[in-house]
Amino acid sequence: MCLKASSSLLSLAILLGVSSIVSAVNITRALDKYPEFSTMTELLAKAKLTPIINKRQTITLLALSNDAIGSISGRPEDELKNILMNHVVLDFYDGLKLKAIKDKSTMLTTLYQSTGLGQQQNGFLKCSKTNGKIYFGSAVKGAPQTAEYITTVFRNPFNLSVVQISMPIVAPGLGDPVEVPPTPPVSSPPAPSPKEAADAPAPGPAEEEGYADSPPGGAPETAPASAPSEDGSPAPAPAPGPGPENSGKKKMAAADEAEPPTSASNTGLSFVAILVLSFVASFAGF
């Protein structure tokens, strides 16, 4: 009885262990939840890589969205298979672990390296940090590090992780490199709408004339009248400025300021008057 119970427990433990291993990595089940990676799921199945990946206990898939993977989806089957194997890292990495990397760059082993076909480190990837961002690229000397980490799509510590990157990684010797997508142009600030331009206040005629006629120093054209002096005499009038009006005023002032008759002329007139009166009086005496 005890022997049967022991064998039953052993069988249950083996079954649980096998089921945990089988369910630890199932790349198809993980990607089925995200339709934006459906093309990569199809290409992994077409290249017969799905069962190979699911047999592994620890995997990190560098996933490409449907738009990003389009640049390699039409390549020959053997070339496409090798490129896809280079997107399967034989270790667990998620966003937390990637950001915690202290070194400037870390070497990652891929599924392609396990085939024994790797040459000059094209079966390895390099993960590096630049300006707070994380990039992936081939570990071959001089290969560009242009595939940027975007986000962690799926994680099952420490068995399966799906990490999204911005573009495919094509190591030297595995195919033609993929060109880096151009940087989107910086958009200029939008121009004001016709309605806003029409609503903007325009300067009035008075403002324009005042601006055009005002002298550079900003002094007023007509100075204020001076206050009367303390002794009651009128204050001198300000000197008139140039201009036709002021010239007319000058002429009038000149006429008003003509010299009065002198005392000599007044004496002559009085003498003539006396002579006339004396003559009239002498004539009347006769």
Side-chain angles (χ1 to χ4, degrees):
M1 184 70 179
C2 292
L3 183 60
K4 289 183 179 180
S6 299
S7 60
S8 299
L9 291 175
L10 181 61
S11 300
L12 180 61
I14 294 174
L15 181 62
L16 290 175
V18 171
S19 62
S20 63
I21 293 174
V22 171
S23 62
V25 175
N26 192 319
I27 193 63
T28 304
R29 187 183 303 168
L31 290 178
D32 279 346
K33 301 176 182 179
Y34 308 96
E36 62 269 28
F37 299 102
S38 59
T39 302
M40 189 163 199
T41 304
E42 295 173 2
L43 293 178
L44 290 174
K46 183 180 179 180
K48 299 179 181 179
L49 292 176
T50 302
I52 297 175
I53 293 173
N54 289 341
K55 287 180 181 179
R56 294 277 178 173
Q57 292 187 5
T58 304
I59 286 291
T60 297
L61 176 67
L62 304 182
L64 298 162
S65 66
N66 297 341
D67 294 335
I69 205 171
S71 58
I72 62 170
S73 58
R75 302 199 180 193
E77 290 186 8
D78 291 342
E79 180 179 332
L80 179 61
K81 182 177 181 179
N82 292 337
I83 293 174
L84 290 176
M85 282 194 291
N86 232 12
H87 287 71
V88 181
V89 179
L90 304 182
D91 201 350
F92 180 86
Y93 286 94
D94 58 3
L96 295 176
K97 188 174 179 180
L98 290 171
K99 293 176 182 179
I101 295 176
K102 296 182 179 180
D103 299 333
K104 291 184 178 180
S105 62
T106 301
M107 197 81 71
L108 309 177
T109 306
T110 69
L111 185 60
Y112 180 74
Q113 180 64 24
S114 67
T115 63
L117 301 175
Q119 297 178 358
Q120 298 180 352
Q121 293 188 326
N122 64 357
F124 295 92
L125 297 180
K126 184 184 290 185
C127 175
S128 58
K129 287 183 177 181
T130 304
N131 297 328
K133 296 182 179 181
I134 302 171
Y135 294 92
F136 296 89
S138 174
V140 176
K141 186 177 180 180
Q145 309 290 304
T146 52
E148 183 181 351
Y149 165 79
I150 298 178
T151 187
T152 299
V153 179
F154 177 87
R155 61 192 298 272
N156 181 18
F158 292 91
N159 302 112
L160 175 61
S161 176
V162 178
V163 171
Q164 182 181 1
I165 59 176
S166 61
M167 60 178 293
I169 302 171
V170 182
L174 299 185
D176 295 332
V178 178
E179 295 183 0
V180 181
T183 304
V186 179
S187 59
S188 58
S193 62
K195 184 177 183 304
E196 292 178 354
D199 293 341
E207 296 176 353
E208 294 179 355
E209 293 174 1
Y211 177 81
D213 296 339
S214 60
E221 294 184 2
T222 304
S226 302
S229 61
E230 295 180 357
D231 58 358
S233 60
E245 295 180 0
N246 292 331
S247 62
K249 291 179 181 179
K250 281 185 176 180
K251 293 179 181 179
M252 294 174 63
D256 292 340
E257 293 175 0
E259 293 184 359
T262 62
S263 58
S265 60
N266 291 335
T267 304
L269 290 174
S270 299
F271 180 74
V272 172
I274 292 171
L275 288 177
V276 172
L277 291 174
S278 300
F279 178 76
V280 171
S282 63
F283 181 79
F286 287 106

